Amino acid sequence: TTDAGATFSTATGVDLAADVGAIISPVKFLDAASIISTYYSYNIGDYVFVESTNAGASFSSSDIETAGNVGGYNDLKVLDASTYMGCYRDQGVGTLRFSKTTNSGSSWTTTLVDGVGLQGRQCSIDVVNASTVYISAGSDSTNDLYFYASTDGGDTWSRTSVSLEAERARYTTIASTNSGNTIYISYHLNSGSAVKFAKSTNAGTSWTVSTIQANGLYTSMTAFGSTVYVGWMNETASDIRMAKSIDGGD
């Protein structure tokens, strides 16, 4: 679209292979012509990077990781023109993983974030700077919402339980402000019984958790300082809803 969403052009085929692109990360625009994203190639279980340099007229793709059944529930963030970082799940063994490129996607390094139990459900990543990186994800083993932090650019990770829920925490979205000291996470409970919001003001050391609304699925969030927007699907009414806070979710 070139008119703020009033109209859209016909969709462009990115990868036309059968059963491909089952789970795709949000599209990122580096400039008016450069578009990048990552996706899970359903038919072969690969984690794939895709890019366009002509405003979406055509795309090229390359594998990030192919060993196992990798790439499920992935997310991608851009630090600068050449450095992108992502989180994803190895569907085959249920581990949470991290990917990083420092040459605009020409090559990638991948790291195990959490391999204890079944982890990495619907992860989200936030890149504060070249060293500090945050990930949120639900656990299939314990029903915890977990927060992961790296202070060395993704080489090593620590894990903190944000909240132990009665059901699995799913479809997390993480964002930070105040140089990474204030962190927000939105998520929903597995059955759609609640849309929830977690906040830390000490870089993830401790958390407060609140319920935005009952009966919600598939959360998404963006934050600008203390102004936070959370969107979700209301399961009861089958509509799309959004909540706004101007005090950081307090």
Side-chain angles (χ1 to χ4, degrees):
T1 179
T2 56
D3 52 14
T7 60
F8 283 83
S9 64
T10 302
T12 301
V14 176
D15 191 333
L16 302 181
D19 299 325
V20 76
I23 304 173
I24 189 166
S25 71
V27 172
K28 310 297 180 185
F29 288 83
L30 306 180
D31 53 47
S34 302
I35 308 166
I36 63 171
S37 189
T38 53
Y39 67 87
Y40 168 53
S41 182
Y42 182 84
N43 61 334
I44 53 177
D46 288 352
Y47 178 40
V48 182
F49 172 70
V50 62
E51 65 177 331
S52 173
T53 57
N54 53 14
S58 61
F59 287 84
S60 62
S61 61
S62 57
D63 290 332
I64 298 174
E65 186 173 0
T66 60
N69 184 10
V70 291
Y73 304 109
N74 62 85
D75 192 22
L76 179 71
K77 289 295 188 298
V78 174
L79 176 63
D80 55 42
S82 59
T83 305
Y84 323 140
M85 304 184 194
C87 66
Y88 61 104
R89 194 181 199 222
D90 186 326
Q91 304 281 77
V93 294
T95 57
L96 176 62
R97 298 183 62 80
F98 168 78
S99 62
K100 179 179 178 179
T101 178
T102 56
N103 55 15
S104 303
S106 295
S107 62
W108 295 79
T109 58
T110 59
T111 305
L112 177 67
V113 177
D114 192 352
V116 180
L118 300 176
Q119 309 300 344
R121 178 68 69 176
Q122 285 99 21
C123 71
S124 177
I125 189 169
D126 183 67
V127 178
V128 180
N129 52 47
S131 299
T132 303
V133 188
Y134 299 146
I135 293 175
S136 62
S139 172
D140 281 349
S141 293
T142 64
N143 291 349
D144 283 274
L145 169 65
Y146 281 129
F147 166 73
Y148 302 87
S150 175
T151 57
D152 54 15
D155 291 338
T156 60
W157 295 85
S158 63
R159 185 181 82 177
T160 302
S161 177
V162 175
S163 180
L164 176 58
E165 299 288 353
E167 307 173 39
R168 284 179 292 177
R170 301 192 65 182
Y171 287 93
T172 73
T173 305
I174 191 169
S176 69
T177 186
N178 190 26
S179 300
N181 289 303
T182 301
I183 308 167
Y184 310 119
I185 302 175
S186 69
Y187 61 104
H188 80 252
L189 299 187
N190 187 57
S191 68
S193 61
V195 174
K196 306 197 75 172
F197 178 79
K199 177 180 179 179
S200 174
T201 57
N202 52 17
T205 301
S206 60
W207 295 83
T208 58
V209 178
S210 58
T211 297
I212 298 176
Q213 181 179 308
N215 300 315
L217 296 168
Y218 312 119
T219 72
S220 181
M221 178 184 61
T222 190
F224 305 91
S226 60
T227 302
V228 184
Y229 300 90
V230 179
W232 68 93
M233 185 187 83
N234 181 271
E235 189 176 29
T236 302
S238 297
D239 57 13
I240 303 299
R241 300 197 176 186
M242 185 187 74
K244 175 184 177 182
S245 172
I246 58 174
D247 58 9
D250 292 339

